[in-house]
């Protein structure tokens, strides 16, 4: 019998989404858009490793000295804002969003992120942030589906040709630290090798991840693909 009451809306189930892949595949743009569209939190784990690297550089730690980096790994306090519309990151209370994107940090982040002690500290932080995301979260990085959140509800691995990735990244750098596509491609390939070859949590596709090649797709097409995968999973929960 209808008593006139408005039926309560059932909140969608929380869902954890892991989006991995190398630089230039569209991870950040896709992850932020998917999180915003589905009302989820968002975490850029690469920014955390960049922040750790920036702290090492500004505090005089020799990033080529793994032992020195390991000793300092627990010192910086990283805080990541998880609003996909305006993600933030601070280091010891200082806004680090701009300085972590310099070429110096980019050239040294693979060395810092390869140190096991650094990965332990940052991985624990990432897991705590994901666990606290009541509505669910989209976490982007290189080892999310394999190491950080192996039980994520949805795992996506984005790929693209080196040429496409270099073109995109060069476009992103224009106006700040503009570089040519060939040099960018060379840097991307070297970083891929470093990230895939490190002993601790290398860049890798999880066995149960859905691979999406973004080479010939528009950003909107990639977003729609990932949103569909996430909604299917969330509706099935």
């Amino acid at each position: 019998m209808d008593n006139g009451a408005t039926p309560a809306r059932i909140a969608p189930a929380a869902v954890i989404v892991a989006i991995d892949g190398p630089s230039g595949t569209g991870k950040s743009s896709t992850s932020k858009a998917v999180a915003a569209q589905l009302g989820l939190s968002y975490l850029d784990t690469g920014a955390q490793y960049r922040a750790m690297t920036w702290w090492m550089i500004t505090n005089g730690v020799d990033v080529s000295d793994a032992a020195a980096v390991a000793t300092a790994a627990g010192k910086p306090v990283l805080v990541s804002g998880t609003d996909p519309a305006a993600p933030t990151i601070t280091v010891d209370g200082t806004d680090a969003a701009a300085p972590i994107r310099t070429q110096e940090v980019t050239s040294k982040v693979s060395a810092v992120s390869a140190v096991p002690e650094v990965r332990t500290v940052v991985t624990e932080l990432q897991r705590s942030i994901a666990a606290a995301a009541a509505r669910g979260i989209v976490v982007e990085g290189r080892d999310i589906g394999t190491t950080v959140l192996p039980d994520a509800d949805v795992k996506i691995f984005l790929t693209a040709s080196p040429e496409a990735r270099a073109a995109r990244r060069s476009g992103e750098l224009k106006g700040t630290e503009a570089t040519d596509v060939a040099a960018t491609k060379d840097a991307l390939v070297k970083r891929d090798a470093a990230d895939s070859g490190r002993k601790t949590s290398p860049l890798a596709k999880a066995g149960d991840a859905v691979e999406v090649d973004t080479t010939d797709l528009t950003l909107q097409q990639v977003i729609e693909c990932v949103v569909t995968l996430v909604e299917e999973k969330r509706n099935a929960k």
Side-chain angles (χ1 to χ4, degrees), residues 145-146 150-156 205-211:
T146 55
D151 296 323
D153 298 297
V154 180
K155 299 179 186 178
I156 310 290
K205 174 189 170 186
D208 54 348
V210 176
E211 183 171 324

Side-chain angles (χ1 to χ4, degrees), residues 130-144:
R135 297 172 300 168
I137 191 169
V138 177
V139 184
E140 63 147 304
R142 285 168 167 73
D143 66 339
I144 310 307

Side-chain angles (χ1 to χ4, degrees), residues 7-208:
R9 292 185 64 185
I10 300 175
V15 62
I16 293 179
V17 183
I19 299 183
D20 290 307
S23 299
T25 54
K27 281 200 313 293
S28 294
S29 298
T30 299
S31 298
K32 284 186 281 191
V34 169
Q37 191 167 325
L38 297 177
L40 305 175
S41 296
Y42 160 76
L43 178 62
D44 176 0
T45 64
Q48 294 175 316
Y49 285 107
R50 284 175 171 275
M52 182 73 78
T53 302
W54 176 68
W55 185 92
M56 297 285 175
I57 294 169
T58 56
N59 283 274
V61 178
D62 180 358
V63 299
S64 65
D65 183 345
V69 171
T71 299
K75 295 180 180 179
V77 177
L78 311 182
V79 178
S80 296
T82 57
D83 178 356
T88 60
I89 186 159
T90 63
V91 183
D92 295 341
T94 299
D95 180 2
I100 65 172
R101 301 295 173 183
T102 64
Q103 186 56 42
E104 182 180 20
V105 171
T106 298
S107 66
K108 296 178 178 178
V109 66
S110 287
V112 172
S113 62
V115 176
E117 288 80 0
V118 170
R119 299 206 75 82
T120 295
V121 169
V122 179
T123 295
E124 289 178 357
L125 175 60
Q126 292 163 358
R127 287 173 176 163
S128 68
I129 292 171
R135 297 172 300 168
I137 191 169
V138 177
V139 184
E140 63 147 304
R142 285 168 167 73
D143 66 339
I144 310 307
T146 55
T147 301
V148 180
L149 300 169
D151 296 323
D153 298 297
V154 180
K155 299 179 186 178
I156 310 290
F157 191 85
L158 299 184
T159 64
S161 70
E163 292 77 14
R165 293 165 51 209
R168 292 169 185 169
R169 185 47 56 91
S170 292
E172 292 172 3
L173 293 173
K174 283 180 181 177
T176 52
E177 293 180 27
T179 186
D180 62 68
V181 176
T184 302
K185 178 183 174 182
D186 183 57
L188 288 175
V189 170
K190 287 181 178 178
R191 184 169 180 192
D192 288 350
D195 291 349
S196 300
R198 65 176 177 243
K199 293 182 179 180
T200 305
S201 301
L203 164 65
K205 174 189 170 186
D208 54 348

Side-chain angles (χ1 to χ4, degrees), residues 217-232:
L217 299 178
T218 65
L219 174 59
Q220 190 55 43
Q221 287 173 324
V222 178
I223 293 167
E224 289 172 359
C225 174
V226 175
V227 165
T228 298
L229 291 168
V230 175
E231 287 186 323
E232 288 175 352

